Amino acid sequence: MKLKTRIYLLYSFLIIGLPLSAVNNTTSPDKKLNVNLHNGESGRPYFSVDCNGKEIFSQIKLGIETDVQNFSGNLKLMSVSDTRLHRDDYIMLTGKRRHCTNTGNERTYRFANDKHHILEVTLRVYNDGIAFRYGIKAISSDEHIIGESTIYRMEDGVKRWMQKYVVGNEGFYPLAEEHTNGKWGYPALVEFPESAFVLLTEANMLRDNCGSYLDNTANGNEYRVQLADEKLSFKEKWMSPWRVLMIGSLSAIVESTLVTDLSDSCKMSDMDWIKPGVVSWIYWAYNRSSNDYKIVKEYIDLAAEMGWSYDLIDWQWDGMSNGGNVEDAVKYALDRGIKPMLWYNSSTAWCSAGSGPLYRLNKKEDREKEYAWLNKIGVAGIKIDFFPEDKISAMNYYIDLLEDAAKYKLMLNFHGSTIPRGWQRTYPHMMTMEAVYGAEWYNNNDKLTSRAACHNATLPFTRNVIGSMDYTPGTFSDSQHPHITSHGHELALTVIFESALQHMPDRPSTYYSLPLAVKSFLSVLPAAWDDTKLLGGYPGEEIVIARKKGKIWYIAGINGTDREKTLSFSLKDLQYLGKRVTVIKDGADDRTFCVEENIKLTRGNLQMTIDCLPRGGFVAVVE
């Protein structure tokens, strides 16, 4: 080709854009997922997604708008990078898997609007999902992102488990097959008939960015990504968080580490002090009694008796009396080999008299002074509660709290908070987050009593997929409102729900009265895992999950229905032929256990069946 002709063709591409048919297709490494780029009406590009040859999303519309640049239409594709294989390989101190690996094919598309401003869209297609993010350069010294035009289209008839968007992310995930107009939080689970499941969320929340949610109020079948801030200031270049779609079977989704795969690598080198563990917790049974030194000591004694690592002293410890103050309680714990943790109010959302300590962490100089004191007296970590919605100011505050805490070797637990977006990889001392309608709601109203079983069988497929979840399981007695799940169900939750700080909320007397086999199980319960496998289940109905620690597999299952159910599952993938199994399951009624020990695994009995009561459950240890 003559040089003059080449120059002419290049100039033509710059003016009219590249033909999409030549560059529109990106596949996963295993070829099962396929993403096509299309040029929609009025120059609005969109992705379509196929799984195993079947279309699951016909349209994922793309677009971003600032107050001086518009990328929501009139876009032309100017260039496409070569496909690059992106590799993830890292170690996690917390979560569902210690050694995480993944690969995805990556491409970056460059679009120009009618004013020749450039929008970059980077796409990654993994075997277990896809992710994409936007990048734009500022053309003004005072420029703001004012909206995102990402839209996921889902037709009625598609099953979905979605939580209404609320501050704190504490809601249910009811099954629906038709849309309801409203605002919806992440993660959102969708089942496409005879095709695949998809879990929608976002990952890699960096400083000076905000969270988002899904909004279908304008068009019921179109779920638009709505930013929490109306305006986002940025300088030079802005990059969005990753928009994430985990795709595949339920096991592919539950076992996926895509949220941390997509997040920034660890920013820390000294991590020997970060230790997942089980925590005794006073609030569920006694609410305001962290200001009572004698009751606080009972929970420290409980942790020592049960072999747990930590005790959390909850709110109002700043007014502790009845024989000692908080420093006395910290010393009492340390003297018994228990690492103490303290509760703090974030002092950004819900602050009232008696909800302290207040305003100790907001300013950097105050925060560092408080952190230094905590480190000096021997506190291992803190729980910070009551955060506002996911605006830039809140996200920056989370990161401030994390970065300063690392200097003083303090582990953090965020409550009344945003959802996990991968910070557990970037800041591994971020141990867990609430963002769930958990067991503490037995204190607040009677909703959980009748809905807990179904809710508990939905969370492993939704909220807990994306990161550690501080549900506070293991409630065998009743709080202000009763539970009607069985004791076997409640015990199973301690394995099914992954949280690097697993809080045990019941009364000391309750734990002391449990059968020896149950106490022994809880005394050695891990709080972080080497591997996780889904052995069976369906959202809201049942789940059987296996988690590995060292050479031991912990298996747990629950019945999410109000009828008796037999849970069936295979152990062949665990490769434990010739080993023995101990099972703790439902007893004669929902407040008793049945223990079966020394069950021998042979080539003929790798398939197991366990009968469960209504709302029942079991645990099994394979060693």
Side-chain angles (χ1 to χ4, degrees), residues 13 27 41 46 91 140 163 180 200 217 298 327 358 365 367 385 395 436 480 489 500 511 538 561 588 593 598 605 613:
F13 283 160
T27 61
E41 296 178 4
Y46 64 89
I91 299 296
S140 168
Q163 174 187 210
T180 300
L200 299 162
T217 54
E298 292 177 10
E327 291 196 15
L358 294 167
E365 57 271 25
R367 180 166 58 247
D385 210 341
M395 295 302 175
V436 66
Q480 281 86 336
H489 183 115
Y511 291 114
Y538 189 81
T561 73
F593 296 97
N598 295 320
N605 77 337
L613 294 173

Side-chain angles (χ1 to χ4, degrees), residues 113-163:
N113 64 14
D114 51 6
K115 294 184 178 180
H116 309 296
H117 304 148
I118 299 298
L119 168 69
E120 289 187 351
V121 179
T122 300
L123 169 71
R124 285 188 197 163
V125 185
Y126 293 84
N127 294 341
D128 59 340
I130 71 171
F132 60 93
R133 65 179 175 184
Y134 301 103
I136 59 175
K137 290 183 178 179
I139 62 172
S140 168
S141 59
D142 185 28
E143 190 167 356
H144 305 84
I145 305 293
I146 60 172
E148 181 171 334
S149 303
T150 302
I151 293 176
Y152 306 107
R153 182 168 182 85
M154 293 182 280
E155 303 297 338
D156 286 351
V158 172
K159 291 182 179 180
R160 62 205 76 188
W161 294 262
M162 303 176 72
Q163 174 187 210

Side-chain angles (χ1 to χ4, degrees), residues 41-255:
E41 296 178 4
S42 303
R44 178 80 176 276
Y46 64 89
F47 290 132
S48 64
V49 183
D50 299 340
C51 180
N52 292 318
K54 296 182 179 180
E55 186 177 76
I56 53 175
F57 278 102
S58 60
Q59 286 189 18
I60 301 175
K61 295 180 181 178
L62 307 174
I64 286 287
E65 187 175 356
T66 83
D67 46 12
V68 294
Q69 303 183 73
N70 188 350
F71 299 105
S72 59
N74 295 320
L75 297 181
K76 295 177 180 178
L77 182 64
M78 308 310 294
S79 67
V80 182
S81 69
D82 292 335
T83 300
R84 179 178 74 91
L85 186 65
H86 177 88
R87 298 182 183 276
D88 304 298
D89 191 331
Y90 57 98
I91 299 296
M92 290 286 291
L93 299 183
T94 62
K96 68 181 77 172
R97 183 170 298 110
R98 177 172 173 78
H99 186 191
C100 300
T101 60
N102 209 347
T103 56
N105 287 321
E106 179 180 294
R107 276 179 138 168
T108 297
Y109 302 88
R110 297 180 77 249
F111 299 91
N113 64 14
D114 51 6
K115 294 184 178 180
H116 309 296
H117 304 148
I118 299 298
L119 168 69
E120 289 187 351
V121 179
T122 300
L123 169 71
R124 285 188 197 163
V125 185
Y126 293 84
N127 294 341
D128 59 340
I130 71 171
F132 60 93
R133 65 179 175 184
Y134 301 103
I136 59 175
K137 290 183 178 179
I139 62 172
S140 168
S141 59
D142 185 28
E143 190 167 356
H144 305 84
I145 305 293
I146 60 172
E148 181 171 334
S149 303
T150 302
I151 293 176
Y152 306 107
R153 182 168 182 85
M154 293 182 280
E155 303 297 338
D156 286 351
V158 172
K159 291 182 179 180
R160 62 205 76 188
W161 294 262
M162 303 176 72
Q163 174 187 210
K164 290 183 178 179
Y165 179 68
V166 293
V167 176
N169 301 282
E170 296 178 52
F172 295 103
Y173 294 83
L175 169 62
E177 296 191 47
E178 295 184 352
H179 74 271
T180 300
N181 289 17
K183 299 176 180 180
W184 308 94
Y186 299 121
L189 180 65
V190 183
E191 181 185 7
F192 290 90
E194 300 180 358
S195 180
F197 288 84
V198 178
L199 190 73
L200 299 162
T201 190
E202 59 185 4
N204 204 31
M205 184 62 57
L206 303 178
R207 189 179 290 278
D208 295 328
N209 227 318
C210 71
S212 69
Y213 55 90
L214 301 174
D215 189 338
N216 70 333
T217 54
N219 185 337
N221 294 117
E222 295 192 338
Y223 293 80
R224 177 172 179 158
V225 173
Q226 183 68 47
L227 303 178
D229 274 290
E230 294 182 1
K231 285 187 174 184
L232 285 76
S233 298
F234 71 103
K235 306 292 183 184
E236 297 182 358
K237 185 172 183 177
W238 175 79
M239 188 172 291
S240 74
W242 288 99
R243 307 303 177 210
V244 183
L245 297 85
M246 300 178 190
I247 302 173
S249 64
L250 282 173
S251 60
I253 288 173
V254 170
E255 296 168 20

